[in-house]
Amino acid sequence: MSIFFSRATALAVVLLPCLATAAPLSLDAALELAARRSETARAARAGVRSATEAAQAAAQLPDPVLRVGIDNLPATGPDRFHTARESMTMKRIGISQEWLSADKRAARQAAADAAVGRERVQAQVAAAETRLQTALAYLDAFYAGESLKLAVLAEHHAHEELEASRARLSSAAGSSQEALAMAGAKGVSEDEAADIRQQQDAARVALERWVGVQPGELMPVGELPLPGEDAYVAGHATVAARQRDVDVARQAAAVTASNRKPNWTWELAYGQRTGYSDMVSVGVSIPLPVAPGERQDRDTAARLALVEKAEADLAEATRAAGAEYRALASDAERLRQRIERYRAGVVVPAGQRTAAAMAAYRSNQASLAAPFEARHAELEAQRKLLALQRDLTRARILLAFRPLTAEVAQ
């Protein structure tokens, strides 16, 4: 049973790209595929694990030091380099331990935890960037397909116009100039369709770079949940990263400030002498800060200056994120209004004009050029509307996917 299940699983893995290519691809499915295969996100998660492992040892005491030696070994005379002839010669073994106070260890642990938090934010930023770039690539590929549909329709119309002009020419109702003009229009429409196909191929390759499969039919983007300004600014990648930089700088300054109090080192040694009593030595080493104002205090001041720098960078990033949100929200609202006005004021009348021109032509009240011109005008209006819709969707994608969301944070 297990062998059959393994073979079935392997077959499913092999056929998965084919199935994914055949089935329509939605934006949510593309985002999930991109998140699974993102190497940037995997690298960021490895950075989190590295910082977490390093933080485990941050509050530990330094390793003890084993000390072994020989004291007062004769260097001249008949007892030179003999360890058992001189009463002052002593074989010594000892151990020393540098001691850090609880406050220092707590400060180092806090600094390590701040570094872990910064790496976690970097992982979130990497995941959010992957989602954003995937969504933008999906947008380009989808609207390239929609543009191609209009280009194919224009190509079809140009072919019909050419055939109609040839029929008119054969019946002496048209002219050779009209037929040549239609032939040129057909060539232009075919070239435009070929150009859009090339753009679509490039957009699909860019999307495949993120999702890992050749996309088939793409579903419309649909509505996107848009954050408010406060949520956008708080979740902005740059703001979140700058906030963690402030935390790291503050904790590093606290560690540096704690170094004003030196670390004591305790030592215990056992000495062995030949023919005499063995000896035990106990000692403590205390560094003497002879000029703290010129060394330790300046180190602390340097760290505090870095804290101020990080806070200034955070304030600037917050302002920039707020301005960015207002610009994107304004663009989205203006584009929405333009789309409504353009659809009501241009696209709908263009469709009505085409219907009226076709009705007039069928009743022999208008020439063949009238419906052709009306259809061209309607296609151009639809192309402009499609471009506006693409710009609106892009603005909404930037608003929706640029901040770090709760799903990305997990």
Side-chain angles (χ1 to χ4, degrees):
M1 185 67 178
S2 60
I3 297 177
F4 175 80
F5 180 78
S6 300
R7 292 179 177 177
T9 303
L11 180 61
V13 171
V14 173
L15 295 180
L16 180 60
C18 299
L19 296 176
T21 302
L25 182 66
S26 66
L27 176 59
D28 291 337
L31 295 175
E32 184 177 355
L33 288 173
R36 290 179 179 177
R37 70 187 305 271
S38 174
E39 294 297 328
T40 303
R42 186 168 72 93
R45 290 193 296 268
V48 174
R49 292 196 301 271
S50 174
T52 302
E53 293 295 333
Q56 298 297 322
Q60 303 296 322
L61 289 174
D63 291 333
V65 179
L66 177 65
R67 301 182 182 276
V68 179
I70 299 177
D71 296 334
N72 300 322
L73 180 66
T76 60
D79 297 333
R80 183 177 58 177
F81 302 136
H82 285 281
T83 61
R85 296 182 181 179
E86 173 59 49
S87 60
M88 295 183 63
T89 300
M90 181 173 59
K91 302 173 185 176
R92 174 176 48 80
I93 183 171
I95 190 170
S96 64
Q97 174 67 63
E98 183 182 6
W99 181 259
L100 275 69
S101 65
D103 293 340
K104 281 190 174 184
R105 282 181 284 168
R108 294 188 178 187
Q109 184 65 64
D113 292 340
V116 173
R118 180 169 59 183
E119 291 296 330
R120 285 177 178 168
V121 166
Q122 293 299 328
Q124 296 172 19
V125 169
E129 183 65 18
T130 297
R131 289 168 58 87
L132 175 61
Q133 295 302 324
T134 303
L136 292 176
Y138 187 96
L139 170 72
D140 292 339
F142 174 77
Y143 278 97
E146 296 299 306
S147 298
L148 181 60
K149 293 178 182 178
L150 294 179
V152 171
L153 183 58
E155 188 178 3
H156 176 69
H157 288 171
H159 178 74
E160 289 183 346
E161 293 170 6
L162 178 60
E163 294 299 324
S165 64
R166 288 175 176 174
R168 284 166 55 84
L169 180 62
S170 63
S171 63
S175 64
S176 60
Q177 293 181 355
E178 182 184 36
L180 291 174
M182 293 303 174
K186 180 176 180 294
V188 171
S189 63
E190 290 175 348
D191 181 70
E192 289 179 352
D195 181 47
I196 294 177
R197 285 190 180 91
Q198 182 178 356
Q199 295 177 15
Q200 184 190 37
D201 291 341
R204 286 180 172 272
V205 169
L207 179 59
E208 184 181 357
R209 172 254 185 273
W210 294 104
V211 301
V213 297
Q214 293 182 357
E217 180 184 355
L218 300 181
M219 300 175 62
V221 175
E223 292 295 327
L224 296 173
L226 303 181
E229 181 174 355
D230 293 340
Y232 182 90
V233 173
H236 196 278
T238 305
V239 174
R242 293 291 182 267
Q243 181 61 62
R244 292 300 182 179
D245 289 342
V246 171
D247 296 340
V248 171
R250 287 175 178 171
Q251 298 303 331
V255 172
T256 304
S258 68
N259 290 334
R260 200 175 193 280
K261 297 179 180 179
N263 300 330
W264 292 21
T265 302
W266 305 91
E267 181 177 0
L268 175 65
Y270 183 85
Q272 183 184 47
R273 296 192 301 171
T274 302
Y276 295 89
S277 300
D278 296 342
M279 295 185 176
V280 176
S281 301
V282 178
V284 60
S285 300
I286 305 175
L288 299 177
V290 294
E294 297 298 327
R295 184 175 298 173
Q296 286 84 359
D297 291 348
R298 290 189 180 276
D299 290 341
T300 302
R303 289 292 184 179
L304 291 176
L306 293 178
V307 173
E308 183 179 359
K309 177 181 180 298
E311 291 174 345
D313 291 339
L314 173 61
E316 187 63 31
T318 302
R319 293 177 186 176
E324 182 178 87
Y325 174 84
R326 290 189 293 273
L328 289 173
S330 176
D331 289 345
E333 179 61 23
R334 291 180 183 276
L335 285 168
R336 185 189 64 80
Q337 295 175 0
R338 286 182 61 189
I339 288 173
E340 292 179 356
R341 290 195 302 266
Y342 194 82
R343 181 182 286 112
V346 179
V347 177
V348 173
Q352 294 172 349
R353 176 191 173 188
T354 300
M358 292 297 297
Y361 174 73
R362 292 190 183 98
S363 61
N364 294 324
Q365 296 179 0
S367 64
L368 183 61
F372 288 163
E373 291 177 358
R375 288 196 301 186
H376 280 302
E378 184 181 3
L379 275 178
E380 290 301 320
Q382 290 176 351
R383 285 177 177 175
K384 180 64 177 297
L385 178 63
L386 187 65
L388 291 174
Q389 291 173 338
R390 180 184 182 279
D391 293 341
L392 174 59
T393 307
R394 181 180 180 84
R396 288 177 172 174
I397 284 177
L398 292 174
L399 284 171
F401 292 103
R402 185 158 284 173
L404 308 182
T405 62
E407 294 180 358
V408 175
Q410 295 175 0

